[in-house]
Amino acid sequence: MLKILLIEDHTDIQQLLSAVLSPQYQVLTALDGIKGLQVFGEQRPDLIILDLMLPNITGESVLKTIRKTSNVPVLVLTAIQSKTKTVALLKAGANDYLTKPFDIDELLARVQVQLRSTAPISPVENTTLTFDDIRLSLTTHQITVSDHTLTLPKKEFQILQLLLKDPHQVFAKAQLYETVWGEPYQDAENTLNVHLSNLRIKLNALTGHSKYIVSIWGIGVRLV
């Protein structure tokens, strides 16, 4: 059974989420960030639901610590509705977020999407995709460019994998998002743009230029 770690200091919310998640998942709980990090280190959950407003240490600090060692999906719960703040969370490593108060059915759907995205990729005949001097390993999630190698987070890997499978196609942003995230594109432009930006930055760091992923104005993105 897949394990979900719920780091939430409001006991009523924790009890509610535990009740709705426990029929399908093993739910681990923590009332503060310190305990949450302890449970994370001991249990290695498949998904973390993280409240931002925690006692002792903030949710942002918990997220930062987790990202030093793991790419486990993190779904953030926040009362903050600022776009600037939520974009900053995604840049810091959050995979998704929900603002409070949230709909239980939506939370369950987002949990399913994140857990589905961590499922192993089906075996394929070729384990490496190539384009120009890019090599993407489907088994290690590593990208190699000009003999420099880097391991990519799940979403960035899936975006690049999709682009490499058909390098001459222009992908609409909605098509990219819905294929990778498995959910409607509504209000998701910032999320996709952050991941594309991070991917460009990493390619630039490996090669000294960011020529590979370009935006086609009004259409989408493609490889060059």
Side-chain angles (χ1 to χ4, degrees):
M1 182 177 286
L2 295 173
K3 293 186 288 187
I4 295 178
L5 171 57
L6 175 58
I7 309 177
E8 168 63 66
D9 66 318
H10 288 86
T11 54
D12 53 344
I13 296 178
Q14 187 181 102
Q15 290 170 2
L16 172 63
L17 293 181
S18 295
V20 299
L21 291 168
S22 57
Q24 292 179 271
Y25 310 105
Q26 179 183 349
V27 181
L28 313 168
T29 60
L31 288 170
D32 61 59
I34 294 175
K35 179 63 175 178
L37 289 173
Q38 178 185 340
V39 176
F40 164 72
E42 293 172 352
Q43 298 292 330
R44 291 295 169 175
D46 300 287
L47 172 74
I48 297 173
I49 299 176
L50 174 65
D51 183 30
L52 285 188
M53 303 297 291
L54 295 171
N56 300 321
I57 59 174
T58 65
E60 288 95 338
S61 296
V62 172
L63 177 61
K64 183 178 180 180
T65 300
I66 289 170
R67 281 294 173 256
K68 290 179 180 178
T69 60
S70 174
N71 286 323
V72 60
V74 177
L75 171 61
V76 168
L77 302 180
T78 176
I80 301 170
Q81 299 195 21
S82 163
K83 285 293 184 182
T84 301
K85 183 68 174 178
T86 52
V87 168
L89 281 171
L90 294 170
K91 287 184 176 180
N95 296 82
D96 200 356
Y97 70 92
L98 274 176
T99 55
K100 297 180 179 180
F102 51 83
D103 180 80
I104 289 296
D105 289 335
E106 183 179 3
L107 180 136
L108 288 172
R110 289 175 183 264
V111 165
Q112 290 170 1
V113 166
Q114 291 302 325
L115 288 173
R116 187 165 65 241
S117 73
T118 64
I121 295 175
S122 300
V124 293
E125 183 176 349
N126 296 316
T127 59
T128 302
L129 296 174
T130 61
F131 176 76
D132 195 20
D133 54 354
I134 299 176
R135 298 194 306 277
L136 185 70
S137 170
L138 302 181
T139 55
T140 66
H141 285 202
Q142 289 182 326
I143 178 176
T144 302
V145 184
S146 302
D147 297 324
H148 299 287
T149 299
L150 178 70
T151 301
L152 293 175
K154 186 74 174 182
K155 294 301 184 190
E156 293 171 25
F157 169 84
Q158 289 177 313
I159 291 170
L160 189 57
Q161 179 186 8
L162 186 60
L163 294 174
L164 286 170
K165 280 184 174 179
D166 196 348
H168 301 294
Q169 178 178 341
V170 178
F171 288 87
K173 287 188 174 181
Q175 179 185 3
L176 272 178
Y177 183 86
E178 291 174 2
T179 301
V180 172
W181 272 263
E183 60 183 23
Y185 183 59
Q186 299 173 351
D187 301 321
E189 184 173 4
N190 282 339
T191 300
L192 179 60
N193 286 343
V194 167
H195 284 79
L196 285 171
S197 176
N198 288 340
L199 194 50
R200 288 187 177 106
I201 289 170
K202 289 172 183 177
L203 287 171
N204 183 62
L206 290 177
T207 65
H209 55 75
S210 54
K211 68 176 184 178
Y212 296 103
I213 301 174
V214 298
S215 296
I216 310 299
W217 182 254
I219 302 177
V221 298
R222 63 164 297 180
L223 292 176
V224 296

mmCIF file of all heavy atoms in Angstrom, residues 34-75:
data_model
loop_
_atom_site.group_PDB
_atom_site.id
_atom_site.type_symbol
_atom_site.label_atom_id
_atom_site.label_comp_id
_atom_site.label_asym_id
_atom_site.label_seq_id
_atom_site.Cartn_x
_atom_site.Cartn_y
_atom_site.Cartn_z
ATOM 1 N N ILE A 34 9.272 19.335 12.555
ATOM 2 C CA ILE A 34 10.359 18.502 13.083
ATOM 3 C C ILE A 34 9.950 17.032 13.074
ATOM 4 O O ILE A 34 10.700 16.163 12.619
ATOM 5 C CB ILE A 34 10.742 18.958 14.500
ATOM 6 C CG1 ILE A 34 11.343 20.371 14.451
ATOM 7 C CG2 ILE A 34 11.726 17.983 15.136
ATOM 8 C CD1 ILE A 34 11.635 20.969 15.802
ATOM 9 N N LYS A 35 8.747 16.757 13.580
ATOM 10 C CA LYS A 35 8.253 15.376 13.578
ATOM 11 C C LYS A 35 8.048 14.890 12.140
ATOM 12 O O LYS A 35 8.323 13.728 11.825
ATOM 13 C CB LYS A 35 6.932 15.303 14.345
ATOM 14 C CG LYS A 35 6.315 13.910 14.394
ATOM 15 C CD LYS A 35 7.202 12.919 15.143
ATOM 16 C CE LYS A 35 6.515 11.567 15.283
ATOM 17 N NZ LYS A 35 7.382 10.577 15.965
ATOM 18 N N GLY A 36 7.575 15.790 11.275
ATOM 19 C CA GLY A 36 7.376 15.414 9.888
ATOM 20 C C GLY A 36 8.654 14.962 9.212
ATOM 21 O O GLY A 36 8.674 13.958 8.499
ATOM 22 N N LEU A 37 9.742 15.692 9.442
ATOM 23 C CA LEU A 37 11.031 15.304 8.863
ATOM 24 C C LEU A 37 11.526 13.986 9.447
ATOM 25 O O LEU A 37 12.148 13.184 8.745
ATOM 26 C CB LEU A 37 12.059 16.413 9.091
ATOM 27 C CG LEU A 37 11.841 17.685 8.265
ATOM 28 C CD1 LEU A 37 12.812 18.781 8.703
ATOM 29 C CD2 LEU A 37 12.009 17.408 6.780
ATOM 30 N N GLN A 38 11.241 13.764 10.726
ATOM 31 C CA GLN A 38 11.641 12.509 11.353
ATOM 32 C C GLN A 38 10.899 11.327 10.711
ATOM 33 O O GLN A 38 11.522 10.312 10.354
ATOM 34 C CB GLN A 38 11.343 12.551 12.843
ATOM 35 C CG GLN A 38 11.692 11.253 13.577
ATOM 36 C CD GLN A 38 11.275 11.288 15.046
ATOM 37 O OE1 GLN A 38 11.064 12.350 15.624
ATOM 38 N NE2 GLN A 38 11.147 10.120 15.643
ATOM 39 N N VAL A 39 9.576 11.472 10.548
ATOM 40 C CA VAL A 39 8.783 10.405 9.937
ATOM 41 C C VAL A 39 9.204 10.205 8.480
ATOM 42 O O VAL A 39 9.317 9.070 8.003
ATOM 43 C CB VAL A 39 7.279 10.729 10.018
ATOM 44 C CG1 VAL A 39 6.459 9.669 9.290
ATOM 45 C CG2 VAL A 39 6.834 10.827 11.470
ATOM 46 N N PHE A 40 9.466 11.301 7.778
ATOM 47 C CA PHE A 40 9.926 11.203 6.395
ATOM 48 C C PHE A 40 11.211 10.379 6.300
ATOM 49 O O PHE A 40 11.342 9.500 5.448
ATOM 50 C CB PHE A 40 10.159 12.597 5.826
ATOM 51 C CG PHE A 40 10.991 12.624 4.567
ATOM 52 C CD1 PHE A 40 10.471 12.177 3.373
ATOM 53 C CD2 PHE A 40 12.304 13.082 4.601
ATOM 54 C CE1 PHE A 40 11.240 12.180 2.224
ATOM 55 C CE2 PHE A 40 13.070 13.094 3.459
ATOM 56 C CZ PHE A 40 12.547 12.641 2.264
ATOM 57 N N GLY A 41 12.176 10.668 7.168
ATOM 58 C CA GLY A 41 13.445 9.946 7.139
ATOM 59 C C GLY A 41 13.298 8.478 7.476
ATOM 60 O O GLY A 41 14.006 7.635 6.913
ATOM 61 N N GLU A 42 12.360 8.157 8.357
ATOM 62 C CA GLU A 42 12.195 6.772 8.797
ATOM 63 C C GLU A 42 11.337 5.951 7.842
ATOM 64 O O GLU A 42 11.587 4.774 7.618
ATOM 65 C CB GLU A 42 11.557 6.747 10.197
ATOM 66 C CG GLU A 42 12.452 7.312 11.293
ATOM 67 C CD GLU A 42 11.719 7.450 12.620
ATOM 68 O OE1 GLU A 42 10.481 7.246 12.631
ATOM 69 O OE2 GLU A 42 12.369 7.763 13.632
ATOM 70 N N GLN A 43 10.300 6.569 7.270
ATOM 71 C CA GLN A 43 9.300 5.819 6.515
ATOM 72 C C GLN A 43 9.403 5.964 4.992
ATOM 73 O O GLN A 43 8.868 5.149 4.260
ATOM 74 C CB GLN A 43 7.894 6.255 6.953
ATOM 75 C CG GLN A 43 7.584 5.980 8.409
ATOM 76 C CD GLN A 43 7.478 4.501 8.705
ATOM 77 O OE1 GLN A 43 7.090 3.697 7.851
ATOM 78 N NE2 GLN A 43 7.815 4.111 9.920
ATOM 79 N N ARG A 44 10.052 7.024 4.513
ATOM 80 C CA ARG A 44 10.181 7.274 3.073
ATOM 81 C C ARG A 44 8.837 7.130 2.355
ATOM 82 O O ARG A 44 8.616 6.201 1.569
ATOM 83 C CB ARG A 44 11.219 6.344 2.454
ATOM 84 C CG ARG A 44 12.629 6.641 2.897
ATOM 85 C CD ARG A 44 13.067 7.996 2.404
ATOM 86 N NE ARG A 44 14.315 8.448 3.010
ATOM 87 C CZ ARG A 44 14.958 9.549 2.692
ATOM 88 N NH1 ARG A 44 14.448 10.328 1.752
ATOM 89 N NH2 ARG A 44 16.059 9.912 3.287
ATOM 90 N N PRO A 45 7.903 8.050 2.615
ATOM 91 C CA PRO A 45 6.568 7.961 2.013
ATOM 92 C C PRO A 45 6.606 8.174 0.502
ATOM 93 O O PRO A 45 7.581 8.680 -0.053
ATOM 94 C CB PRO A 45 5.805 9.089 2.713
ATOM 95 C CG PRO A 45 6.865 10.082 3.080
ATOM 96 C CD PRO A 45 8.065 9.254 3.432
ATOM 97 N N ASP A 46 5.509 7.810 -0.150
ATOM 98 C CA ASP A 46 5.384 7.971 -1.598
ATOM 99 C C ASP A 46 4.861 9.361 -1.969
ATOM 100 O O ASP A 46 4.982 9.776 -3.114
ATOM 101 C CB ASP A 46 4.447 6.903 -2.153
ATOM 102 C CG ASP A 46 4.953 5.502 -1.883
ATOM 103 O OD1 ASP A 46 5.931 5.095 -2.531
ATOM 104 O OD2 ASP A 46 4.384 4.822 -1.012
ATOM 105 N N LEU A 47 4.266 10.068 -1.003
ATOM 106 C CA LEU A 47 3.719 11.400 -1.221
ATOM 107 C C LEU A 47 3.668 12.121 0.119
ATOM 108 O O LEU A 47 3.424 11.498 1.155
ATOM 109 C CB LEU A 47 2.312 11.318 -1.824
ATOM 110 C CG LEU A 47 1.524 12.633 -1.941
ATOM 111 C CD1 LEU A 47 2.074 13.479 -3.083
ATOM 112 C CD2 LEU A 47 0.043 12.376 -2.147
ATOM 113 N N ILE A 48 3.895 13.442 0.083
ATOM 114 C CA ILE A 48 3.782 14.254 1.291
ATOM 115 C C ILE A 48 2.743 15.341 1.056
ATOM 116 O O ILE A 48 2.780 16.034 0.033
ATOM 117 C CB ILE A 48 5.130 14.900 1.664
ATOM 118 C CG1 ILE A 48 6.155 13.815 1.994
ATOM 119 C CG2 ILE A 48 4.970 15.855 2.853
ATOM 120 C CD1 ILE A 48 7.557 14.354 2.219
ATOM 121 N N ILE A 49 1.803 15.466 1.982
ATOM 122 C CA ILE A 49 0.872 16.599 2.006
ATOM 123 C C ILE A 49 1.362 17.522 3.111
ATOM 124 O O ILE A 49 1.407 17.136 4.281
ATOM 125 C CB ILE A 49 -0.574 16.145 2.252
ATOM 126 C CG1 ILE A 49 -1.034 15.211 1.132
ATOM 127 C CG2 ILE A 49 -1.504 17.355 2.353
ATOM 128 C CD1 ILE A 49 -2.432 14.637 1.340
ATOM 129 N N LEU A 50 1.743 18.741 2.738
ATOM 130 C CA LEU A 50 2.484 19.620 3.650
ATOM 131 C C LEU A 50 1.758 20.941 3.851
ATOM 132 O O LEU A 50 1.545 21.687 2.890
ATOM 133 C CB LEU A 50 3.886 19.869 3.070
ATOM 134 C CG LEU A 50 4.776 20.878 3.790
ATOM 135 C CD1 LEU A 50 5.135 20.381 5.188
ATOM 136 C CD2 LEU A 50 6.049 21.133 2.972
ATOM 137 N N ASP A 51 1.400 21.224 5.098
ATOM 138 C CA ASP A 51 0.846 22.532 5.438
ATOM 139 C C ASP A 51 2.008 23.520 5.581
ATOM 140 O O ASP A 51 3.085 23.169 6.068
ATOM 141 C CB ASP A 51 0.067 22.437 6.750
ATOM 142 C CG ASP A 51 -0.595 23.751 7.130
ATOM 143 O OD1 ASP A 51 -0.954 24.519 6.211
ATOM 144 O OD2 ASP A 51 -0.735 24.023 8.328
ATOM 145 N N LEU A 52 1.800 24.759 5.157
ATOM 146 C CA LEU A 52 2.870 25.759 5.249
ATOM 147 C C LEU A 52 3.009 26.348 6.644
ATOM 148 O O LEU A 52 4.119 26.591 7.121
ATOM 149 C CB LEU A 52 2.630 26.898 4.250
ATOM 150 C CG LEU A 52 2.919 26.613 2.790
ATOM 151 C CD1 LEU A 52 2.825 27.906 1.992
ATOM 152 C CD2 LEU A 52 4.296 25.994 2.593
ATOM 153 N N MET A 53 1.880 26.599 7.304
ATOM 154 C CA MET A 53 1.899 27.267 8.608
ATOM 155 C C MET A 53 2.040 26.232 9.713
ATOM 156 O O MET A 53 1.057 25.725 10.259
ATOM 157 C CB MET A 53 0.627 28.095 8.789
ATOM 158 C CG MET A 53 0.411 29.131 7.700
ATOM 159 S SD MET A 53 1.719 30.382 7.659
ATOM 160 C CE MET A 53 1.375 31.249 9.181
ATOM 161 N N LEU A 54 3.275 25.894 10.035
ATOM 162 C CA LEU A 54 3.561 24.869 11.035
ATOM 163 C C LEU A 54 4.293 25.466 12.228
ATOM 164 O O LEU A 54 5.042 26.442 12.080
ATOM 165 C CB LEU A 54 4.430 23.763 10.427
ATOM 166 C CG LEU A 54 3.824 22.911 9.316
ATOM 167 C CD1 LEU A 54 4.897 22.024 8.697
ATOM 168 C CD2 LEU A 54 2.676 22.062 9.853
ATOM 169 N N PRO A 55 4.128 24.881 13.408
ATOM 170 C CA PRO A 55 4.920 25.325 14.551
ATOM 171 C C PRO A 55 6.370 24.846 14.443
ATOM 172 O O PRO A 55 6.665 23.906 13.713
ATOM 173 C CB PRO A 55 4.216 24.653 15.742
ATOM 174 C CG PRO A 55 3.531 23.459 15.155
ATOM 175 C CD PRO A 55 3.144 23.845 13.757
ATOM 176 N N ASN A 56 7.242 25.497 15.152
ATOM 177 C CA ASN A 56 8.677 25.163 15.233
ATOM 178 C C ASN A 56 9.436 25.539 13.964
ATOM 179 O O ASN A 56 10.289 26.411 13.981
ATOM 180 C CB ASN A 56 8.902 23.679 15.563
ATOM 181 C CG ASN A 56 8.286 23.271 16.882
ATOM 182 O OD1 ASN A 56 8.330 24.036 17.850
ATOM 183 N ND2 ASN A 56 7.701 22.095 16.946
ATOM 184 N N ILE A 57 9.160 24.876 12.858
ATOM 185 C CA ILE A 57 9.784 25.255 11.596
ATOM 186 C C ILE A 57 8.699 25.337 10.528
ATOM 187 O O ILE A 57 7.709 24.619 10.581
ATOM 188 C CB ILE A 57 10.902 24.274 11.156
ATOM 189 C CG1 ILE A 57 10.359 22.850 10.988
ATOM 190 C CG2 ILE A 57 12.057 24.304 12.128
ATOM 191 C CD1 ILE A 57 11.394 21.894 10.431
ATOM 192 N N THR A 58 8.884 26.206 9.561
ATOM 193 C CA THR A 58 7.851 26.444 8.559
ATOM 194 C C THR A 58 7.790 25.314 7.532
ATOM 195 O O THR A 58 8.736 24.535 7.369
ATOM 196 C CB THR A 58 8.108 27.758 7.806
ATOM 197 O OG1 THR A 58 9.326 27.628 7.057
ATOM 198 C CG2 THR A 58 8.217 28.924 8.771
ATOM 199 N N GLY A 59 6.664 25.270 6.825
ATOM 200 C CA GLY A 59 6.535 24.305 5.741
ATOM 201 C C GLY A 59 7.561 24.524 4.649
ATOM 202 O O GLY A 59 8.065 23.571 4.044
ATOM 203 N N GLU A 60 7.901 25.797 4.387
ATOM 204 C CA GLU A 60 8.936 26.093 3.387
ATOM 205 C C GLU A 60 10.271 25.472 3.776
ATOM 206 O O GLU A 60 10.989 24.923 2.933
ATOM 207 C CB GLU A 60 9.111 27.602 3.215
ATOM 208 C CG GLU A 60 7.966 28.289 2.492
ATOM 209 C CD GLU A 60 6.943 28.865 3.455
ATOM 210 O OE1 GLU A 60 6.879 28.391 4.609
ATOM 211 O OE2 GLU A 60 6.218 29.787 3.065
ATOM 212 N N SER A 61 10.615 25.534 5.077
ATOM 213 C CA SER A 61 11.872 24.942 5.545
ATOM 214 C C SER A 61 11.839 23.424 5.450
ATOM 215 O O SER A 61 12.844 22.790 5.112
ATOM 216 C CB SER A 61 12.145 25.370 6.989
ATOM 217 O OG SER A 61 12.339 26.761 7.078
ATOM 218 N N VAL A 62 10.683 22.843 5.746
ATOM 219 C CA VAL A 62 10.532 21.395 5.615
ATOM 220 C C VAL A 62 10.735 20.982 4.158
ATOM 221 O O VAL A 62 11.458 20.022 3.860
ATOM 222 C CB VAL A 62 9.138 20.949 6.108
ATOM 223 C CG1 VAL A 62 8.910 19.466 5.794
ATOM 224 C CG2 VAL A 62 9.003 21.198 7.604
ATOM 225 N N LEU A 63 10.097 21.708 3.247
ATOM 226 C CA LEU A 63 10.227 21.417 1.822
ATOM 227 C C LEU A 63 11.685 21.524 1.373
ATOM 228 O O LEU A 63 12.187 20.651 0.646
ATOM 229 C CB LEU A 63 9.358 22.374 1.016
ATOM 230 C CG LEU A 63 9.429 22.271 -0.511
ATOM 231 C CD1 LEU A 63 8.988 20.900 -0.985
ATOM 232 C CD2 LEU A 63 8.572 23.357 -1.156
ATOM 233 N N LYS A 64 12.359 22.570 1.804
ATOM 234 C CA LYS A 64 13.758 22.770 1.423
ATOM 235 C C LYS A 64 14.628 21.616 1.902
ATOM 236 O O LYS A 64 15.506 21.134 1.176
ATOM 237 C CB LYS A 64 14.264 24.090 1.996
ATOM 238 C CG LYS A 64 15.680 24.439 1.598
ATOM 239 C CD LYS A 64 16.094 25.798 2.159
ATOM 240 C CE LYS A 64 17.509 26.155 1.760
ATOM 241 N NZ LYS A 64 17.917 27.483 2.320
ATOM 242 N N THR A 65 14.387 21.154 3.130
ATOM 243 C CA THR A 65 15.167 20.045 3.681
ATOM 244 C C THR A 65 14.901 18.758 2.918
ATOM 245 O O THR A 65 15.827 18.011 2.588
ATOM 246 C CB THR A 65 14.828 19.851 5.171
ATOM 247 O OG1 THR A 65 15.130 21.054 5.882
ATOM 248 C CG2 THR A 65 15.632 18.706 5.766
ATOM 249 N N ILE A 66 13.643 18.488 2.606
ATOM 250 C CA ILE A 66 13.291 17.274 1.870
ATOM 251 C C ILE A 66 13.942 17.263 0.501
ATOM 252 O O ILE A 66 14.458 16.234 0.041
ATOM 253 C CB ILE A 66 11.760 17.156 1.748
ATOM 254 C CG1 ILE A 66 11.140 16.826 3.114
ATOM 255 C CG2 ILE A 66 11.363 16.097 0.714
ATOM 256 C CD1 ILE A 66 9.642 16.919 3.147
ATOM 257 N N ARG A 67 13.952 18.408 -0.168
ATOM 258 C CA ARG A 67 14.485 18.471 -1.531
ATOM 259 C C ARG A 67 16.006 18.298 -1.589
ATOM 260 O O ARG A 67 16.559 18.098 -2.663
ATOM 261 C CB ARG A 67 14.079 19.798 -2.180
ATOM 262 C CG ARG A 67 12.641 19.798 -2.676
ATOM 263 C CD ARG A 67 12.466 18.814 -3.820
ATOM 264 N NE ARG A 67 11.070 18.667 -4.209
ATOM 265 C CZ ARG A 67 10.313 17.629 -3.887
ATOM 266 N NH1 ARG A 67 10.833 16.638 -3.150
ATOM 267 N NH2 ARG A 67 9.068 17.550 -4.283
ATOM 268 N N LYS A 68 16.673 18.345 -0.463
ATOM 269 C CA LYS A 68 18.119 18.084 -0.463
ATOM 270 C C LYS A 68 18.418 16.621 -0.744
ATOM 271 O O LYS A 68 19.502 16.294 -1.232
ATOM 272 C CB LYS A 68 18.713 18.492 0.888
ATOM 273 C CG LYS A 68 18.737 19.988 1.145
ATOM 274 C CD LYS A 68 19.322 20.299 2.524
ATOM 275 C CE LYS A 68 19.343 21.792 2.794
ATOM 276 N NZ LYS A 68 19.871 22.105 4.160
ATOM 277 N N THR A 69 17.455 15.745 -0.439
ATOM 278 C CA THR A 69 17.724 14.314 -0.558
ATOM 279 C C THR A 69 16.691 13.543 -1.362
ATOM 280 O O THR A 69 16.911 12.361 -1.661
ATOM 281 C CB THR A 69 17.816 13.666 0.837
ATOM 282 O OG1 THR A 69 16.559 13.860 1.529
ATOM 283 C CG2 THR A 69 18.940 14.284 1.658
ATOM 284 N N SER A 70 15.560 14.157 -1.702
ATOM 285 C CA SER A 70 14.477 13.373 -2.304
ATOM 286 C C SER A 70 13.657 14.194 -3.287
ATOM 287 O O SER A 70 13.463 15.397 -3.107
ATOM 288 C CB SER A 70 13.550 12.852 -1.189
ATOM 289 O OG SER A 70 12.412 12.208 -1.726
ATOM 290 N N ASN A 71 13.135 13.495 -4.315
ATOM 291 C CA ASN A 71 12.193 14.085 -5.265
ATOM 292 C C ASN A 71 10.772 13.588 -5.024
ATOM 293 O O ASN A 71 9.925 13.623 -5.921
ATOM 294 C CB ASN A 71 12.608 13.749 -6.704
ATOM 295 C CG ASN A 71 13.810 14.544 -7.151
ATOM 296 O OD1 ASN A 71 13.953 15.716 -6.802
ATOM 297 N ND2 ASN A 71 14.690 13.906 -7.913
ATOM 298 N N VAL A 72 10.478 13.118 -3.801
ATOM 299 C CA VAL A 72 9.139 12.645 -3.473
ATOM 300 C C VAL A 72 8.126 13.753 -3.777
ATOM 301 O O VAL A 72 8.371 14.930 -3.511
ATOM 302 C CB VAL A 72 9.059 12.239 -1.981
ATOM 303 C CG1 VAL A 72 9.375 13.412 -1.066
ATOM 304 C CG2 VAL A 72 7.686 11.669 -1.648
ATOM 305 N N PRO A 73 6.970 13.414 -4.378
ATOM 306 C CA PRO A 73 5.968 14.446 -4.651
ATOM 307 C C PRO A 73 5.495 15.127 -3.362
ATOM 308 O O PRO A 73 5.224 14.450 -2.367
ATOM 309 C CB PRO A 73 4.828 13.666 -5.314
ATOM 310 C CG PRO A 73 5.457 12.427 -5.839
ATOM 311 C CD PRO A 73 6.565 12.100 -4.907
ATOM 312 N N VAL A 74 5.390 16.456 -3.407
ATOM 313 C CA VAL A 74 4.926 17.237 -2.262
ATOM 314 C C VAL A 74 3.748 18.099 -2.705
ATOM 315 O O VAL A 74 3.883 18.928 -3.612
ATOM 316 C CB VAL A 74 6.045 18.125 -1.683
ATOM 317 C CG1 VAL A 74 5.495 18.984 -0.535
ATOM 318 C CG2 VAL A 74 7.213 17.272 -1.194
ATOM 319 N N LEU A 75 2.606 17.877 -2.075
ATOM 320 C CA LEU A 75 1.404 18.678 -2.305
ATOM 321 C C LEU A 75 1.259 19.639 -1.132
ATOM 322 O O LEU A 75 1.095 19.210 0.007
ATOM 323 C CB LEU A 75 0.177 17.769 -2.417
ATOM 324 C CG LEU A 75 -1.194 18.437 -2.456
ATOM 325 C CD1 LEU A 75 -1.320 19.364 -3.662
ATOM 326 C CD2 LEU A 75 -2.298 17.384 -2.475
#
